[in-house]
Amino acid sequence: MAKNFHTDNKAFMLYKDWEDIFQALDSSEEIGELVMALFAYAKRGETPKLSGGAKIAFLMMRAAIERDGIAWEEMCAQRSECGKKGGRPKKSDESGNTDEKAEQTAASADNAEEKPQGINYTAEKPKAFSETKRFLEKAKKADKDKDIDKEKDKEIDIDKDKDTEKEKEKDIDREKDTDVAKSVVRSFGTHKNIMLTSEQYNELESRCRSVGLSLESYISKLSQWLFTKGRHCTDPYRIISGWLDNDSKRKTAAKPKERQGCDLSWYDDFAMNFDLSKFF
């Protein structure tokens, strides 16, 4: 009866080259699954469901197990035929010497019995092992390249965040400079005794321009009046703003030839002798 290496052979080969394949697998779980799959195929001819690197490795190892199994079956068939013919016959010539060919055949048979079953010492090792190793190395290299790209993307995002923070700081500094410029007090008028901030001056100038009046005229008249009276103005902005409101109403309601005026008689109602040195 013909032998079947799945059921009759009690052993199968594990090649040393397979160590690299086992080490290339991602986890010990995959290694365990691959080992159990090899036993299932060698013992019962089963092909378990695997995935990823374990599946590729199993296909390569299965080919080697099948090749060794077929060689073992052929060897068993040859030994069975020799047994049917009465074992190893020895031929003698007329001088009584044993045939050298018969002795060589017997020696070969003895050596075959000493070797473990299922081993084909003349078979070439599968080329697929090196190809599988290269495949797994390429997969690992691709994963490393992906990790490097992710790190570079993180560094780019960090640089963008830093640039954004720098732009925000610059905007804050610009706003501070603008606020400081608006709060700077300057002296106006013929006698340089009208103290207005840049923001106040720009506002009054805009209002005068909108109604066709001259801000310099108001500043000059107030400066001259303060100098003549020997006084200090606590709030020149309020004085000029009041004049501007009155003259704007008069200009709107009066005849075209009616002139504008600056009434200083009510100025004494405002606080005087205000110390402006704190603005410098």
Side-chain angles (χ1 to χ4, degrees), residues 6-176:
H6 289 298
T7 56
D8 299 327
N9 193 3
K10 296 181 179 180
F12 70 97
M13 280 294 296
L14 287 176
Y15 290 94
K16 293 181 179 179
D17 291 343
W18 293 358
E19 181 183 11
D20 295 334
I21 300 176
F22 282 106
Q23 291 178 350
L25 296 177
D26 293 334
S27 63
S28 58
E29 287 78 9
E30 281 190 328
I31 295 174
E33 291 177 359
L34 177 58
V35 172
M36 296 307 298
L38 294 175
F39 276 100
Y41 179 75
K43 189 174 181 180
R44 295 179 295 276
E46 297 176 357
T47 303
K49 293 182 179 179
L50 298 173
S51 61
K55 182 177 181 180
I56 297 173
F58 172 76
L59 294 176
M60 305 306 168
M61 296 176 181
R62 184 183 67 180
I65 293 173
E66 185 175 3
R67 184 190 65 246
D68 293 342
I70 294 172
W72 179 84
E73 291 175 354
E74 292 176 353
M75 183 186 70
C76 291
Q78 291 177 359
R79 293 179 65 183
S80 177
E81 288 294 326
C82 291
K84 291 178 181 179
K85 294 179 180 180
R88 301 188 297 272
K90 295 183 179 180
K91 296 181 180 180
S92 299
D93 55 9
E94 295 180 354
S95 62
N97 295 326
T98 304
D99 192 308
E100 294 181 358
K101 293 184 179 179
E103 292 179 356
Q104 292 176 358
T105 303
S108 300
D110 293 335
N111 293 332
E113 289 179 356
E114 293 176 357
K115 295 179 181 178
Q117 297 179 355
I119 300 177
N120 187 354
Y121 288 93
T122 60
E124 295 182 358
K125 295 180 180 178
K127 296 181 181 179
F129 298 144
S130 58
E131 295 177 358
T132 303
K133 184 178 179 180
R134 287 197 297 271
F135 170 78
L136 296 173
E137 289 177 351
K138 288 181 180 179
K140 286 188 175 182
K141 184 176 183 300
D143 293 337
K144 290 181 180 179
D145 293 339
K146 289 180 180 179
D147 293 337
I148 293 173
D149 293 337
K150 288 180 180 179
E151 291 297 328
K152 289 182 179 180
D153 292 338
K154 289 181 180 179
E155 293 177 357
I156 292 172
D157 293 336
I158 292 172
D159 293 337
K160 289 182 180 179
D161 293 337
K162 289 181 179 179
D163 294 337
T164 303
E165 291 296 328
K166 289 181 180 180
E167 291 297 329
K168 289 181 180 179
E169 292 176 358
K170 289 181 180 180
D171 293 338
I172 293 172
D173 293 338
R174 292 192 193 99
E175 291 177 358
K176 289 181 179 179

Side-chain angles (χ1 to χ4, degrees), residues 186-196 215-233 236-237 239-240 243 262 264 267 272:
R186 298 167 56 192
S187 58
F188 299 92
T190 307
H191 302 284
K192 302 296 182 182
N193 54 357
I194 305 300
M195 312 305 295
L196 296 170
L215 176 59
E216 296 298 329
S217 176
Y218 290 116
I219 292 175
S220 297
K221 289 179 181 181
L222 181 56
S223 177
Q224 184 62 34
W225 188 84
L226 291 173
F227 180 77
T228 301
K229 296 292 184 177
R231 296 180 179 181
H232 297 284
C233 181
Y237 171 79
I239 299 296
I240 296 174
W243 287 348
C262 297
L264 295 173
Y267 178 75
M272 304 299 290

